[in-house]
Amino acid sequence: MQSAILAGLLGGVACSLIGVFVVTMNLSFIGVAIAHAAFAGALCGAWLGFSPQAGAFVFSLVAVAVIGPLADRGEFNPDTPIGIIFSLTMGLAFLFMGLLPGPKTEALELLWGSILTVSNFDLVLLVIVAVIVLMLVTLFFKEIQAVIFHREAALAVGIPANLIFYSMLFLTGSVITASLRSIGGLLIFNLILNPAAAAYQLTYSLRIMFILSALFGVLSTWLGLLISYLFNTPSGATIVLVSTVIFIIAAAFSPKRKVKKWKNELG
Amino acid sequence: MITINNAVVSYREDVALRGVSLSVKKGELVGIIGPNGAGKTTILTLVNGLGKLLKGQVQVLGCMLNNGCPSYLRRRIGYVPQIHNIDPRMPVNAREVVMMGRYGRLGLLRRPGILDRQVVESLLSLVGMSHLATRPIGHLSGGEQQRVAIARALAQEPDILLLDEPTTGLDRRARVEIMALVNEIHRSRNLTTLMVTHELKTASAICNRLVLMKEGRIWSQGKPEDVLQEEVLDLLYGDENRVVNYF
């Protein structure tokens, strides 16, 4: 249980911090596609007999390398090619699952997540990724802020905006890879999206949004773990449901819902 | 200051610039006018290195830009892109946007200091936005967002200022105010300014030179009083000129 609590803390922080980037830059669909590519890669790794994390990492990086430039061109709507890649990775995931010999326990763990049986290796991986994410967000906060606001303007002032953008996409892939076993391939993206989306409802400060998002991420995993323990429900699914409830509450009480009214009052 | 020689730029099958040559001296305020799709914005992106040159040469501040513009040079070129819809929920306020203009000069891993804050406050005051400094950027009107964008570009302490249709989408009063602000900033800071605009009357009053563009080529250029002739504009804009004349 101690390992699960630690995994919840690390996964919650890493996923929700990277989620701020995904939410503010409207990259939700791209993120889902990367998450499913990682899931397919993990199953490919399991099928070929090497580490699922290695497979997830390679697949997510390939997905970033393909999807990133598509989203980047801006000359056409990238939804269609990203949708094709998304469905391709889903197809590959279920293909590898079908090809896996014997019982599908490992595949199902990767699908639903199993935070209660997280290994020391998974924990070490989570520590590394969480520390890297935290460090990069702290050190390059001003550059990330500029890229989130307007990438072309960021480039024009001399910020390496493309490097920052692609680094964040690769980091998204790495966070998904590290959290895959504890949260699960189908559910991981909710933990990236929901805490950040909830934080987005509550503040106009990017700094506070990062902090709130991390708090909501950890709250989701810990509360999810507690409920899962008390009612004997699947941990990954419970965590995701808790994070969704947090988002609904944040949206219901969001001061940003009053923006229109406030703007009208100002004329 | 800026020398563009026989520049050809293409976006896939569309040719945006067809052998354009243009020189801009230090301290000049050059207005670029012409119908939509003439290649006006592309000229600006060539100068700050965001555009990709297919053929020709571009020299800015003594540096050849044929392989893109290095970031140290971009820091010396303030760029105000066309206004775009900003998400009203965007978690960034006006002061932070102006501060972004300092980030390139600061470089990676360095945080803004007292001097940077002073520069930002004085620029907010210059563009008349001090009272709205903490307002989320997406809550500001188009004219206010444009003022913030100009302040951000000035925060770079640039040698060259590039403005891409700074008055588009604004009401008449805001358009007049923005053009007056551009004029004041250009004169007081001894900048070299390139401005893409559809404001023919105001541009002719404040620009040293007007460059008329059509279909990726420079159609004509010279002093405003020389080039802004009815027959020239008729040829440049065709039927549109009747509409343009109202502005």
Side-chain angles (χ1 to χ4, degrees), chain A residues 24 26 73 75-76 138-143 145-146 148-150 152-161 164 200-201 203-207 209 256 259 262-263 266, chain B residues 12 45 48 50 71 74-75 77 79 81 84 86-93 96-97 100-101 103-112 135-139 152 156:
Chain A
T24 50
N26 298 318
R73 287 186 184 167
E75 294 165 21
F76 61 95
T138 310
L139 292 177
F140 299 106
F141 175 80
K142 71 180 197 300
E143 286 79 13
Q145 184 189 44
I148 283 172
F149 171 63
H150 196 290
E152 194 184 12
L155 261 178
V157 301
I159 291 169
I164 299 282
Y200 196 45
Q201 303 298 320
T203 180
Y204 286 108
S205 159
L206 189 63
R207 212 177 295 272
M209 187 180 167
K256 296 186 180 183
V259 167
W262 177 66
K263 280 186 98 172
L266 283 174
Chain B
R12 294 176 184 270
T45 60
N48 71 1
L50 295 181
S71 56
R74 282 208 297 267
R75 288 168 206 156
I77 305 168
Y79 179 48
H84 66 294
I86 299 173
D87 183 351
R89 295 168 301 169
M90 174 68 73
V92 178
N93 66 35
E96 289 170 326
V97 172
M100 283 172 198
Y103 291 172
R105 294 180 73 91
L106 277 168
L108 300 172
L109 303 175
R110 286 181 61 201
R111 288 172 190 281
R135 184 74 58 85
I137 188 72
H139 290 190
R152 175 182 50 69
Q156 292 174 238

Side-chain angles (χ1 to χ4, degrees), chain A:
Chain A
M1 193 63 180
Q2 279 176 335
S3 296
I5 291 170
L6 189 57
L9 172 71
L10 297 166
V13 168
C15 289
S16 52
L17 287 183
I18 210 73
V20 171
F21 178 75
V22 172
V23 167
T24 50
M25 290 208 69
N26 298 318
L27 299 174
S28 306
F29 195 33
I30 292 174
V32 174
I34 295 171
H36 285 83
F39 175 54
L43 288 169
C44 179
W47 174 56
L48 292 173
F50 60 87
S51 159
Q53 278 90 350
F57 191 60
V58 171
F59 268 55
S60 61
L61 292 195
V62 170
V64 167
V66 174
I67 293 168
L70 282 176
D72 224 6
R73 287 186 184 167
E75 294 165 21
F76 61 95
N77 190 339
D79 281 1
T80 305
I82 293 170
I84 291 167
I85 291 165
F86 169 76
S87 52
L88 169 72
T89 52
M90 278 300 281
L92 284 173
F94 286 106
L95 174 72
F96 293 132
M97 194 184 277
L99 290 172
L100 266 176
K104 314 285 187 201
T105 317
E106 189 175 13
L108 290 172
E109 274 188 5
L110 289 168
L111 189 65
W112 304 116
S114 175
I115 199 167
L116 294 168
T117 59
V118 68
S119 69
N120 284 341
F121 174 73
D122 294 323
L123 271 180
V124 170
L125 206 60
L126 271 172
V127 169
I128 293 169
V129 169
V131 167
I132 290 173
V133 171
L134 204 56
M135 210 173 68
L136 290 179
V137 168
T138 310
L139 292 177
F140 299 106
F141 175 80
K142 71 180 197 300
E143 286 79 13
I144 291 170
Q145 184 189 44
V147 171
I148 283 172
F149 171 63
H150 196 290
R151 223 168 119 199
E152 194 184 12
L155 261 178
V157 301
I159 291 169
N162 290 335
L163 180 67
I164 299 282
F165 178 76
Y166 278 93
S167 300
M168 297 310 279
L169 280 187
F170 280 116
L171 213 53
T172 306
S174 308
V175 167
I176 289 167
T177 300
S179 316
L180 202 58
R181 194 180 280 280
S182 43
I183 309 298
L186 281 183
L187 307 174
I188 181 69
F189 198 68
N190 295 63
L191 196 56
I192 289 180
L193 202 61
N194 291 354
Y200 196 45
Q201 303 298 320
L202 300 176
T203 180
Y204 286 108
S205 159
L206 189 63
R207 212 177 295 272
I208 294 173
M209 187 180 167
F210 271 115
I211 295 167
L212 279 179
S213 183
L215 286 174
F216 290 154
V218 176
L219 184 67
S220 301
T221 53
W222 283 359
L223 205 57
L225 268 175
L226 181 68
I227 293 169
S228 159
Y229 175 74
L230 291 175
F231 298 100
N232 197 25
T233 52
S235 53
T238 312
I239 288 168
V240 164
L241 289 175
V242 170
S243 77
T244 309
V245 170
I246 290 173
F247 168 75
I248 292 168
I249 293 169
F253 292 99
S254 170
K256 296 186 180 183
R257 284 161 63 94
K258 295 167 191 159
V259 167
K260 215 169 180 179
K261 188 183 158 196
W262 177 66
K263 280 186 98 172
N264 289 339
E265 280 170 11
L266 283 174

Side-chain angles (χ1 to χ4, degrees), chain B residues 59-174:
Chain B
Q59 190 176 26
V60 177
L61 297 165
C63 181
M64 295 299 287
L65 302 187
N66 289 27
N67 295 316
C69 183
S71 56
Y72 72 85
L73 203 62
R74 282 208 297 267
R75 288 168 206 156
R76 296 173 62 190
I77 305 168
Y79 179 48
V80 180
Q82 277 182 44
I83 205 160
H84 66 294
N85 290 328
I86 299 173
D87 183 351
R89 295 168 301 169
M90 174 68 73
V92 178
N93 66 35
R95 180 178 281 124
E96 289 170 326
V97 172
V98 179
M99 183 61 86
M100 283 172 198
R102 304 294 294 171
Y103 291 172
R105 294 180 73 91
L106 277 168
L108 300 172
L109 303 175
R110 286 181 61 201
R111 288 172 190 281
I114 295 168
L115 175 70
D116 302 300
R117 290 194 182 90
Q118 284 172 347
V119 169
V120 167
E121 293 311 317
S122 70
L123 286 170
L124 281 166
S125 169
L126 176 73
V127 299
M129 290 296 294
S130 294
H131 63 299
L132 297 172
T134 55
R135 184 74 58 85
I137 188 72
H139 290 190
L140 300 178
S141 69
E144 289 162 347
Q145 286 180 7
Q146 202 60 264
R147 285 169 179 273
V148 172
I150 291 170
R152 175 182 50 69
L154 292 177
Q156 292 174 238
E157 296 179 33
D159 298 304
I160 296 171
L161 182 62
L162 308 174
L163 300 141
D164 194 357
E165 299 189 20
T167 55
T168 299
L170 306 183
D171 61 35
R172 186 172 170 75
R173 185 178 164 183

